[in-house]
Amino acid sequence: MKILIAEDEPISRLALEATVPQWGFVPVTVANGQEALARLTARNDPPPIAILDWMMPGMDGVDVCRAVRSVMLPVAPYLVILTTRT
């Protein structure tokens, strides 16, 4: 099963990309919210789970969540927001 990782910071993205296969998932990585939204709303095989960075330039993780929830999808993905904020 695929899991989308949306993280603009390269080291964190690589760490998640290396970790999720240990959980049995195939990572699909993007570097910003616009790419994440495009993948999650794609008609062809969108990932059913996404780990979204809260703070990304342009469209952040919260914006992605709102946008995904506003679109009528056949199956809504599970969305997890990850942050280093205090």
Side-chain angles (χ1 to χ4, degrees):
M1 179 183 310
K2 291 192 285 184
I3 187 167
L4 178 71
I5 299 167
E7 171 62 67
D8 63 313
E9 207 285 309
I11 304 257
S12 296
R13 188 172 56 244
L14 285 172
L16 285 167
E17 191 174 20
T19 301
V20 298
Q22 298 171 20
W23 303 336
F25 295 102
V26 175
V28 175
T29 59
V30 297
N32 60 57
Q34 292 87 350
E35 290 179 62
L37 181 59
R39 294 283 182 124
L40 289 167
T41 58
R43 293 182 187 240
N44 295 340
D45 198 27
I49 302 171
I51 299 174
L52 308 168
D53 184 10
W54 184 333
M55 298 183 302
M56 292 183 282
M59 180 179 255
D60 64 25
V62 175
D63 292 334
V64 173
C65 287
R66 287 186 184 121
V68 168
R69 296 297 183 222
S70 71
V71 176
M72 295 298 291
L73 298 172
V75 177
Y78 291 95
L79 304 173
V80 177
I81 293 187
L82 181 68
T83 187
T84 58
R85 290 180 68 171
T86 56

